[in-house]
Amino acid sequence: MTDRYEKGMETRRAVLGDAHVDRAEAAKTPLDEAFQTLITEGAWGTVWSGDGISRRERSMLTLALLAACGNFDEIPMHIRATARTGATKQDVIETFQHVAIYAGVPKANHALKLAKATYAEMESGGADTDGNRKGGSGDDV
């Protein structure tokens, strides 16, 4: 493996948690192995590992971009990651307000709905910050 892959895996585990990454690694097949390497090196080993902005800021940017582009499936995973990145609920609210103005109210509304449900699940003990549900393995790979 490359140094960038190793750094990416370290950062990915720090942001998403060991349980999440372990599930993703266990689910990896020859079909998606190259893709998993690409995101580990590119997203996690380059973008998320950079020192130009904080992980808190990266969380907020990621959530805004996911919502603005309508990529809602990864929002719960990145809401859970805020427990590790330092982005607060208020940061998330502010982020989605920007999405409402610059990308559309329906997208921000749906993202906020997902955030509320994810925070409620985390706070009720129904899932930990890795997305592990009681009696289940979580919803993100």
Side-chain angles (χ1 to χ4, degrees):
M1 289 294 137
T2 65
D3 289 343
R4 192 165 32 143
Y5 182 90
E6 295 302 324
K7 180 62 176 169
M9 191 57 75
E10 177 185 319
T11 301
R12 188 177 177 196
R13 287 183 179 283
V15 172
L16 299 178
D18 288 331
H20 174 90
V21 176
D22 290 345
R23 281 193 314 274
E25 287 296 296
K28 187 167 53 176
T29 69
L31 185 65
D32 68 342
E33 186 171 10
F35 176 77
Q36 291 293 325
T37 299
L38 173 71
I39 62 171
T40 300
E41 290 179 347
W44 298 106
T46 300
V47 175
W48 274 89
S49 293
D51 58 3
I53 61 174
S54 70
R55 286 187 180 163
R56 174 184 163 265
E57 293 165 317
R58 289 180 200 286
S59 264
M60 294 163 57
L61 285 167
T62 300
L63 286 165
L65 288 165
L66 289 171
C69 293
N71 296 319
F72 299 111
D73 288 346
E74 291 197 6
I75 287 177
M77 175 179 67
H78 281 281
I79 291 293
R80 288 189 290 272
T82 63
R84 291 180 187 80
T85 65
T88 66
K89 285 184 187 179
Q90 188 60 41
D91 292 333
V92 171
I93 291 166
E94 296 288 338
T95 296
F96 291 149
Q97 286 179 345
H98 269 71
V99 170
I101 297 302
Y102 292 101
V105 170
K107 288 179 179 176
N109 186 48
H110 189 64
L112 212 65
K113 175 184 170 186
L114 293 169
K116 285 169 55 175
T118 304
Y119 281 130
E121 187 176 76
M122 289 167 64
E123 290 166 0
S124 73
D128 62 20
T129 57
D130 286 336
N132 296 317
R133 291 192 178 113
K134 291 181 180 178
S137 64
D139 59 354
D140 300 303
V141 178

